Amino acid sequence: MKALCWEGKHDVKVRNVRDPKILNPHDAIIKVTTAAICGSDLHLYDGVIPTMQRGDILGHETMGIVMEIGKEVKKVKVGDKIVIPFDIGCGSCHFCESEEYSFCDNTNPNSMIADTLYGHGGSALFGYSHMYGGYAGGQAEFIRVPLVDTNSLVVPSDIEDEKVLFLSDIFPTGYMAAENCQIQPGDTVAIWGAGPVGQMAIRSAFMLGAKRVISIDHYEGRLQMAREAGAETINFDDAEAILDQLSFLTGGMGPDSCIDAVGMEAHGTTVTAALDRVKMAAFLATDRPDALRQAIQACKKGGTVSVPGVYGGLLDKIPFGAAFGKGLTFKMGQTHTQRYMKPLLKKILDGEIDPSFVITQKITIDQGPDAYKSFNEKKDEFIKIILKMH
Amino acid sequence: MEQVAQVIVANKEYKPQANVQSITIGKTPMEIYAFLNRMANFALFMAEVKGSDDASGKIANWIMKGSDKSIEWKTTITENKENESIKWQSLENSEVVQSAQFWLEEAPKGLGTVVTLAMDYQVRGGKASELFLKLLGEDPVARIKINLRRLKAYLETGEIPTIEGQPNGKDEKSGQFKH
């Protein structure tokens, strides 16, 4: 089969690889119908996520038709159309039973790496480095899904893929980020990053009762998409001082909650951002948290900072004094996707939201390598790329 | 006040040291004891255990492989306390002298069982011992942690996570997998 493979920094190729096989009794093999490229795939493309190996198949936003199931699979059937969550849960450990699927204990065969780095490693992820299990991803014609009864959402066969694909990652991620803000009716939420996760977070924040959402980015195309959802926008290339502007927009109080939907590769032009890049290059720091710093500075006293990520390693110069002085609450983490898939599917089927608005390009797998390059270089034009297979 | 499992474990006679690790598994001590009290079952979760010679399942065959050489030895359960502990050792005249023990304690908050594993090795000397120490690696505690994780995955999900045999971009060079 054809698959998009990571070959090194800024090097993605289409390779002919073996078809996936059932390896464990709870596996299923899926014929992929549609997959997507995620902003976090660009961290892999940029070579800033450790433990990638040449030949690793990329992709963690996948859906398709079940072709074959292992002998212990009980719920999913051959022929079902499923959306696959990006995090891999087992359904049986304490964390999965508490619906904290991205904390799963039992799906990462390389758990030692994250255990050492983080104290306790969480679930494996599809297509996201060997620290997260090294599982082959879904930017391919077929994918093997372990423990499929836990790691699937069966969707109506007549629904357009584009409407439901984003239940695999970005819609639950944006929704959980907004939920983590602990929004009270009438609140103002500021969201750094107007990429697909930010876009979903904007709409989710309104669903959860926010009165105003302020979207911060420097790509006009993304800010326009945010305005279409009813957000006010700040373009940080123009704004002299984001923090002053946010204070002004909120009557001097600061937003009630702040979402950092930018993560570890913030592209700020401030002094701290420049220092981050130097440190990253010299391996003195691994992540560039400029959006997070601003979120902490801007947030009202007693407010909440919500971090859907992605962060991988170490941060420097975080205004923890400000966070302490203002008594901020931090809520963060990899999305517990499986928890949100059914309730968010209902919102889609009820017509409350159609996540396909975020798609800007549709390509074939052969166009994948060029698409990664364009996505990385032209973020104003490339917001969300989907791959149509078969 | 009921002593929590972690306290009991920490107060045990052995000194908490590198080659002892523990994990919490969502099964009762009775279920785990029944599973571990048969040496042959170790083959279901320990990568180093290849199977059992013996119809009763009382003896397990262990093997550690290097790139071209390997070392083998057999073990059997020597002591057990129902639902509490299982001790096993390599058979007499083994090249590798292994002694190891599982302890089982009920975990707090209904989380199941705290399973503790200690594994010690001594090698008799000679070429085989060099190889064995090399295979054991610089971090013997890693092997214990891995075995406990595999035991937990096997007991809680019925399988051990793996990616061995999955597709990879390197397949293309082998020329075997044509589109």
Side-chain angles (χ1 to χ4, degrees), chain A residues 5 15-18 23-24 26 54-55 90 92-94 105-107 109 111 115 133-136 141 144, chain B residues 111 142 145-146 149 152-153 156-172 177 179:
Chain A
C5 298
R15 293 285 186 212
N16 284 325
V17 303
R18 77 188 79 181
L23 300 176
N24 263 341
H26 300 88
R54 166 170 257 145
C90 75
S92 320
C93 68
H94 162 67
D105 281 328
N106 289 326
T107 54
S111 54
D115 282 353
Y135 284 86
E141 294 183 280
R144 163 194 168 236
Chain B
L111 288 172
K145 285 184 182 172
I146 290 168
R149 278 282 205 154
K152 179 182 166 82
E156 287 182 355
T157 72
E159 61 174 60
I160 292 174
T162 184
I163 57 167
E164 242 173 279
Q166 71 171 7
N168 183 282
K170 295 192 203 128
D171 292 347
E172 195 174 73
F177 309 101
H179 175 64

Side-chain angles (χ1 to χ4, degrees), chain A residues 74-350:
Chain A
K74 302 271 187 298
K75 296 189 198 150
V76 166
K77 295 182 182 47
V78 171
D80 279 346
K81 179 153 57 163
I82 65 168
V83 178
I84 304 161
F86 77 93
D87 57 313
I88 307 176
C90 75
S92 320
C93 68
H94 162 67
F95 294 105
C96 286
E97 286 183 341
S98 314
E99 293 199 295
E100 294 173 323
Y101 299 93
S102 78
F103 298 160
C104 177
D105 281 328
N106 289 326
T107 54
N108 190 347
N110 299 331
S111 54
M112 289 285 297
I113 305 176
D115 282 353
T116 308
L117 226 54
Y118 293 162
H120 302 278
S123 77
L125 307 178
F126 283 106
Y128 214 76
S129 90
H130 288 262
M131 183 165 104
Y132 286 107
Y135 284 86
Q139 288 164 13
E141 294 183 280
F142 293 88
I143 186 175
R144 163 194 168 236
V145 178
L147 298 148
V148 69
D149 283 337
T150 298
N151 299 307
S152 59
L153 172 75
V154 179
V155 294
S157 54
D158 58 349
I159 197 163
E160 210 185 25
D161 280 13
E162 283 80 341
K163 279 195 153 62
V164 293
L165 173 64
F166 302 130
L167 291 167
S168 57
D169 178 359
I170 57 171
F171 187 11
T173 298
Y175 192 85
M176 182 167 128
E179 207 179 63
N180 277 346
C181 287
Q182 306 178 103
I183 297 171
Q184 301 298 307
D187 269 6
T188 298
V189 181
I191 304 180
W192 276 255
V197 166
Q199 297 293 337
M200 297 299 164
I202 292 166
R203 289 148 178 85
S204 300
F206 282 123
M207 277 182 206
L208 287 163
K211 180 106 187 288
R212 295 168 69 200
V213 175
I214 303 171
S215 169
I216 301 157
D217 203 304
H218 65 160
Y219 293 109
E220 222 2 82
R222 295 174 176 221
L223 292 171
Q224 176 53 30
M225 208 184 250
R227 283 192 285 272
E228 279 158 20
E232 298 158 57
T233 58
I234 298 178
N235 185 326
F236 68 77
D237 281 346
D238 297 342
E240 263 201 351
I242 305 181
L243 301 177
D244 280 346
Q245 181 147 359
L246 278 171
S247 183
F248 182 76
L249 287 171
T250 55
M253 282 194 65
D256 297 289
S257 53
C258 298
I259 299 178
D260 168 9
V262 174
M264 66 187 283
E265 284 193 283
H267 290 270
T269 50
T270 59
V271 171
T272 44
L275 275 176
D276 285 336
R277 271 187 283 277
V278 169
K279 283 187 197 138
M280 215 179 190
F283 295 101
L284 292 171
T286 59
D287 297 8
R288 303 200 299 260
D290 221 36
L292 180 62
R293 289 190 190 105
Q294 290 168 11
I296 292 170
Q297 289 295 127
C299 201
K300 76 163 187 200
K301 291 180 284 192
T304 302
V305 174
S306 163
V307 187
V310 174
Y311 285 96
L314 303 164
L315 304 184
D316 196 11
K317 305 267 181 303
I318 291 301
F320 209 68
F324 170 78
K326 291 191 288 187
L328 298 183
T329 298
F330 285 80
K331 296 198 84 168
M332 63 187 78
Q334 292 282 12
T335 318
H336 302 302
T337 315
Q338 294 84 337
R339 185 205 285 172
Y340 295 97
M341 289 175 101
K342 265 210 185 84
L344 294 183
L345 173 65
K346 183 167 191 302
K347 287 188 191 288
I348 295 172
L349 296 177
D350 286 348

Side-chain angles (χ1 to χ4, degrees), chain B residues 96-145:
Chain B
V96 171
V97 177
Q98 180 193 62
S99 71
Q101 186 159 4
F102 273 115
W103 286 268
L104 309 173
E105 304 280 1
E106 206 176 297
K109 301 197 291 182
L111 288 172
T113 305
V114 175
V115 178
T116 304
L117 173 59
M119 283 172 94
D120 273 314
Y121 297 93
Q122 280 166 315
V123 196
R124 288 188 200 280
K127 281 221 167 75
S129 67
E130 274 170 50
L131 171 63
F132 180 76
L133 290 170
K134 194 167 123 204
L135 292 175
L136 194 58
E138 284 169 28
D139 189 5
V141 72
R143 196 167 291 276
I144 298 176
K145 285 184 182 172

Side-chain angles (χ1 to χ4, degrees), chain B residues 58-98:
Chain B
K58 285 206 168 83
I59 295 178
N61 301 343
W62 295 62
I63 182 167
M64 294 235 280
K65 287 195 183 127
S67 47
D68 59 341
K69 286 197 182 66
S70 60
I71 297 191
E72 298 184 42
W73 68 98
K74 297 190 206 280
T75 58
T76 192
I77 292 173
T78 51
E79 218 181 278
N80 52 10
K81 238 167 145 190
E82 189 161 8
N83 304 331
E84 277 185 39
S85 69
I86 289 173
K87 200 171 186 176
W88 75 92
Q89 274 193 293
S90 45
L91 299 184
E92 259 183 66
N93 299 323
S94 259
E95 220 169 344
V96 171
V97 177
Q98 180 193 62

Side-chain angles (χ1 to χ4, degrees), chain A residues 348-359:
Chain A
I348 295 172
L349 296 177
D350 286 348
E352 232 181 290
I353 182 169
D354 179 356
S356 64
F357 73 84
V358 81
I359 299 171

